[in-house]
Amino acid sequence: MSSELKTSIVIPKQGTTIRRKKFFTRRDVAGYLFSAPLLIGIVVFSIYPMIGALILSFKKSSQTFEGDWAGLNNYKYVLTDSLFWQSIYNTFYMGILSVVLGVSLSFILATLIHNISWLKWRNFFKGVYFLPNVVSLVATSILFSFLFNPGSEGLLNYVIGLVGIEPIGWFTDPKYARFSIVIMTLWGMLGYNTIIFIAALTSVPRDLYEAAEVDGANWLKKWLYITIPYLKPIIIFMVIIGTINAMKRFTDVWLIGGTAGNPAGSLMTAVLYIYRNGFLSSQMGIATAASYILFFFILVLTIVLMLTNRKSNFD
């Protein structure tokens, strides 16, 4: 009898034979050993903190699990706090603009670069647009603090001053601060998205374009009716990833606007709100409740985007 037959159980049922494999066999030992560090890491650093945060969200806790039960009071406090809803508005404002503009511009750039016939120029533009992606977010924030300096010594204000425009408070005026963050985000994310889209464009079958050319389609119709529908799953994927990253925005607004999200709270994001309550005010119960409310928003957005992707039918 072979070793495979020894590790299986034959259960006759209504004239048929069902072979059920054991959960743990000798041949699986190596696989379990290799995957054990990753599984332990997921349990210790992901699942355990999630469960701990859920417990803390129902307690009057400062830092530990020893506080009294608060029931839903932490969630009620967060949902009735005007600062929380301002942080949600700021997060969605900067997130939606960053994702919509970032994905659209990077897709257009990828199409243009992909159609360059000379390989050297194609690789040159890939490197130019991907270069900002290797710069850390801290360095990017410092760089744009100089570029967007509100005084006339700021590079951007100096340039617009040459045509007679008064200096703008890019990071100091609430009217411009959020959009300035969007511009900074686009500079950083454009290269990564462009490289992903260029790789996806190579997977579009040439037969589709050739058939469209026989029917008299120009480049615009081929782009609208072949390229975009064929790459719709990739576009949705980039939107989902961009949305999740936008909802987690913290480092850049913290470096530029401080813990108060200045100017006038226009840079207060949801994660910055969580950080203030958890680590500055020692209200860990409120911070974890806000974390789970933010998780709910991200979950709903992701499900909606995935349902949109399921409707994608391209034959």
Side-chain angles (χ1 to χ4, degrees), residues 21-37:
K21 193 175 183 298
K22 289 183 178 179
F23 177 74
F24 185 83
T25 64
R26 184 182 302 175
R27 293 197 312 174
D28 297 333
V29 171
Y32 286 119
L33 286 177
F34 277 110
S35 59

Side-chain angles (χ1 to χ4, degrees), residues 72-102:
L72 295 175
N73 289 335
N74 290 332
Y75 289 91
K76 290 178 182 177
Y77 176 86
V78 173
L79 292 175
T80 55
D81 188 1
S82 59
L83 185 60
F84 172 74
W85 289 110
Q86 183 184 3
S87 70
I88 291 293
Y89 171 77
N90 294 334
T91 304
F92 274 78
Y93 179 96
M94 292 183 282
I96 290 174
L97 274 182
S98 300
V99 171
V100 172
L101 294 177

Side-chain angles (χ1 to χ4, degrees), residues 63-76:
Q63 297 290 337
T64 66
F65 296 103
E66 297 176 355
D68 298 329
W69 284 99
L72 295 175
N73 289 335
N74 290 332
Y75 289 91
K76 290 178 182 177

Side-chain angles (χ1 to χ4, degrees), residues 145-251:
S145 296
F146 286 109
L147 291 176
F148 286 166
N149 190 296
S152 57
E153 63 271 19
L155 180 60
L156 201 55
N157 278 340
Y158 173 77
V159 172
I160 63 175
L162 296 177
V163 293
I165 299 176
E166 293 294 323
I168 296 175
W170 298 99
F171 285 146
T172 57
D173 191 333
K175 292 186 296 184
Y176 303 105
R178 286 186 289 256
F179 192 71
S180 300
I181 292 291
V182 172
I183 295 174
M184 187 178 71
T185 305
L186 290 178
W187 183 81
M189 69 183 291
L190 209 58
Y192 176 80
N193 289 353
T194 301
I195 293 299
I196 297 295
F197 280 132
I198 289 174
L201 285 168
T202 59
S203 66
V204 181
R206 303 299 304 174
D207 297 346
L208 296 176
Y209 293 123
E210 293 171 0
E213 289 172 359
V214 171
D215 293 335
N218 57 24
W219 66 270
L220 181 59
K221 289 184 177 179
K222 289 188 288 184
W223 191 68
L224 291 176
Y225 299 114
I226 295 177
T227 305
I228 293 179
Y230 197 87
L231 297 184
K232 186 177 178 181
I234 305 298
I235 296 173
I236 296 295
F237 170 77
M238 299 304 293
V239 170
I240 292 175
I241 296 299
T243 302
I244 293 174
N245 289 332
M247 294 297 106
K248 298 188 300 181
R249 183 186 300 278
F250 171 74
T251 305

Side-chain angles (χ1 to χ4, degrees), residues 269-313:
T269 62
V271 177
L272 186 56
Y273 175 88
I274 294 168
Y275 173 80
R276 277 166 52 101
N277 282 282
F279 297 99
L280 299 183
S281 302
S282 297
Q283 295 176 315
M284 196 59 73
I286 292 174
T288 50
S291 301
Y292 267 91
I293 293 172
L294 178 62
F295 167 74
F296 174 76
F297 287 145
I298 295 175
L299 180 65
V300 170
L301 280 174
T302 305
I303 291 174
V304 170
L305 292 172
M306 291 181 71
L307 290 176
T308 305
N309 187 34
R310 289 182 61 183
K311 295 180 181 178
S312 173
N313 294 314

